[in-house]
Amino acid sequence: MGSTLVGHFTLFLISWLVIITKVQSDNKVFNVINFGAVADGKTDNSKAFVDVWKQACAYSGRGVVLIPKGTYYASSMVFNGPCKGQTLFSIEGILKAPIDKKEWVGLESWISFRYIVHLEISGGGSFDGQGSYAWPYNDCQTNPHCIQLPTSIGLEFVNQSLMKDIKLINSKSFNMKVFGCQDTTFENIKIRAPATSPNTDGIHIGSSTGIKIFSSNIATGDDCVSIGPGTDNLLVSGLTCGPGHGVSIGSLGKYPNEADVTNLVIQNCNISGTSNGVRIKTWAPSPPSNVYNVTFENIGMNNVDNPIIIDQQYCPFETKKCGNGASSQVQIRKVKFNNIYGTSKGKVAVELKCSPSKPCVELSLKNINLNFPGGATSSCSNAHGTATGHEQPPPCIN
């Protein structure tokens, strides 16, 4: 499956290069400074940025939105397509989000890109969410009706696009959400937030297909990569993750009629100092859905609390007002854990806690080598499949 996904990426890259070759001689640069933007870190530049975007988006060649070096402040912005040609959002400077609560409370995203094909976001600059001003308002662990904090960057229905060489710092909530997107690639993305920052997932993906994440470094207070309902044909390769909560599929099963999660490959990653390594989590109880054709392979763990975990009794609230004994109806099948190695911070290095009413089936563990002083152990319930090759800890799978 991994080679197939890499092949698809190669075809995507070739087509992308063809597009760039056709339009690179027809670039037109729209410098935000020429439209009234001020790099003083306090003037609200949102109107100037949106005005520049509209002109670049309307250009029939390759419109370049240029944010030169410097520090810029901007309130919430929406960059809408479709655009006439390819659009490049080139950020070389630092863009800072609002800190005043009245400017962000209730917002879904600080910056949104919507309905765009052939978008490129690059330039080596930074998006600073200034999350420390908002994190004290996050009480979602104890309050199911907590206020919504904004994601730093939202990509919605963005297709055949590329984001590379970008930094995201201290988002108020998720750093990036990818929704309804197709054939979009993320490369050399650096994301930073303190380990104690709440709900600062690095990249969250949902209802999207053909997403690829390469050679990125993510350190947050939540999942480095979180994979939601409707994700299909995902490749994550060369990720460095930690601190944070690892790479997670889910949580799934919170809402009715969630689309299946299928055809995922997470490979060649290093996970260090996280609360989880590779994880699948589903609510209990839950409506029915499916997770299948998933491969975790060639992943190094360094001092990770739960290197391999399936948790079908997921309940994040401290009040534990969840299932009252009811079970998850999310079916997990055809999941492979290949060549997972390193050190576990907890004695239970492999925990497969599957649903009693929908047991996990066709699980595969191959060449697992996870160490803990005195010997690591495995814990399984309702987990069916095979274990082959070198297995440390000893497998418990049925």
Side-chain angles (χ1 to χ4, degrees):
M1 186 190 304
S3 61
T4 301
L5 285 172
V6 172
H8 288 166
F9 171 68
T10 302
L11 292 174
F12 162 77
L13 186 59
I14 291 171
S15 63
W16 178 265
L17 290 173
V18 168
I19 292 163
I20 290 177
T21 300
K22 286 181 178 179
V23 300
Q24 64 181 355
S25 61
D26 196 19
N27 284 356
K28 186 171 183 179
V29 176
F30 299 83
N31 190 324
V32 296
I33 298 297
N34 298 334
F35 287 76
V38 180
D40 62 1
K42 58 183 180 181
T43 300
D44 187 356
N45 291 293
S46 55
K47 183 180 185 304
F49 285 5
V50 171
D51 287 346
V52 170
W53 169 266
K54 288 178 180 177
Q55 294 209 28
C57 183
Y59 183 61
S60 58
R62 189 179 194 233
V64 180
V65 176
L66 175 62
I67 303 174
K69 290 183 179 180
T71 300
Y72 305 81
Y73 166 82
S75 55
S76 63
M77 297 176 287
V78 178
F79 300 113
N80 281 316
C83 297
K84 286 189 176 180
Q86 184 197 9
T87 308
L88 168 59
F89 191 93
S90 179
I91 174 169
E92 298 175 357
I94 300 170
L95 189 55
K96 288 184 173 288
I99 60 175
D100 191 332
K101 182 181 177 182
K102 69 176 182 292
E103 292 193 51
W104 53 257
V105 69
L107 286 177
E108 183 173 348
S109 298
W110 168 34
I111 300 171
S112 296
F113 294 89
R114 298 176 177 170
Y115 304 103
I116 307 165
V117 179
H118 299 149
L119 169 68
E120 179 181 325
I121 304 172
S122 60
S126 301
F127 297 88
D128 184 352
Q130 303 208 82
S132 61
Y133 293 91
W135 297 330
Y137 296 99
N138 187 319
D139 59 352
C140 296
Q141 288 293 316
T142 57
N143 178 15
H145 306 290
C146 58
I147 65 172
Q148 176 176 275
L149 304 184
T151 296
S152 278
I153 298 178
L155 301 182
E156 302 167 43
F157 308 101
V158 173
N159 301 333
Q160 300 175 49
S161 295
L162 175 68
M163 176 184 280
K164 66 177 183 177
D165 306 329
I166 289 297
K167 305 177 189 73
L168 291 92
I169 305 166
N170 295 336
S171 179
K172 293 178 175 67
S173 182
F174 288 18
N175 283 270
M176 195 185 313
K177 282 186 180 179
V178 179
F179 180 82
C181 298
Q182 295 180 10
D183 301 323
T184 292
T185 296
F186 302 85
E187 185 172 1
N188 192 32
I189 306 299
K190 295 182 180 179
I191 298 176
R192 291 290 180 270
T196 55
S197 58
N199 299 109
T200 51
D201 294 49
I203 303 176
H204 177 77
I205 304 154
S207 300
S208 298
T209 183
I211 304 301
K212 297 161 186 70
I213 302 170
F214 293 105
S215 304
S216 294
N217 192 312
I218 301 177
T220 71
D222 212 298
D223 298 325
C224 294
V225 176
S226 56
I227 301 160
T231 302
D232 176 51
N233 194 21
L234 168 71
L235 174 61
V236 179
S237 185
L239 172 70
T240 299
C241 167
H245 295 180
V247 176
S248 292
I249 299 172
S251 56
L252 304 176
K254 189 175 183 180
Y255 303 105
N257 304 313
E258 289 183 354
D260 293 346
V261 175
T262 64
N263 302 318
L264 315 181
V265 175
I266 294 88
Q267 64 180 19
N268 305 327
C269 301
N270 288 292
I271 300 176
S272 180
T274 56
S275 57
N276 302 286
V278 291
R279 173 171 61 159
I280 303 175
K281 53 181 177 176
T282 74
W283 288 80
S286 74
S289 63
N290 296 280
V291 179
Y292 59 94
N293 290 345
V294 177
T295 299
F296 301 102
E297 63 184 1
N298 303 326
I299 299 176
M301 305 284 179
N302 176 36
N303 202 33
V304 172
D305 282 341
N306 302 289
I308 295 174
I309 179 168
I310 293 176
D311 181 4
Q312 293 209 258
Q313 296 176 341
Y314 177 71
C315 180
F317 299 119
E318 290 180 358
T319 51
K320 298 297 182 184
K321 294 179 179 178
C322 292
N324 296 321
S327 61
S328 174
Q329 298 301 304
V330 178
Q331 176 68 72
I332 297 173
R333 59 187 173 91
K334 294 187 177 179
V335 178
K336 298 178 180 179
F337 301 93
N338 297 336
N339 194 31
I340 313 295
Y341 57 90
T343 57
S344 176
K345 189 176 179 180
K347 187 172 181 62
V348 180
V350 177
E351 182 172 13
L352 308 176
K353 185 166 57 177
C354 299
S355 170
S357 60
K358 292 282 187 180
C360 302
V361 295
E362 298 182 78
L363 302 181
S364 172
L365 284 77
K366 182 178 181 181
N367 294 331
I368 308 299
N369 187 15
L370 295 166
N371 297 298
F372 177 82
T377 62
S378 298
S379 174
C380 297
S381 56
N382 310 301
H384 303 276
T386 60
T388 59
H390 176 81
E391 293 292 328
Q392 175 59 38
C396 57
I397 195 167
N398 292 326

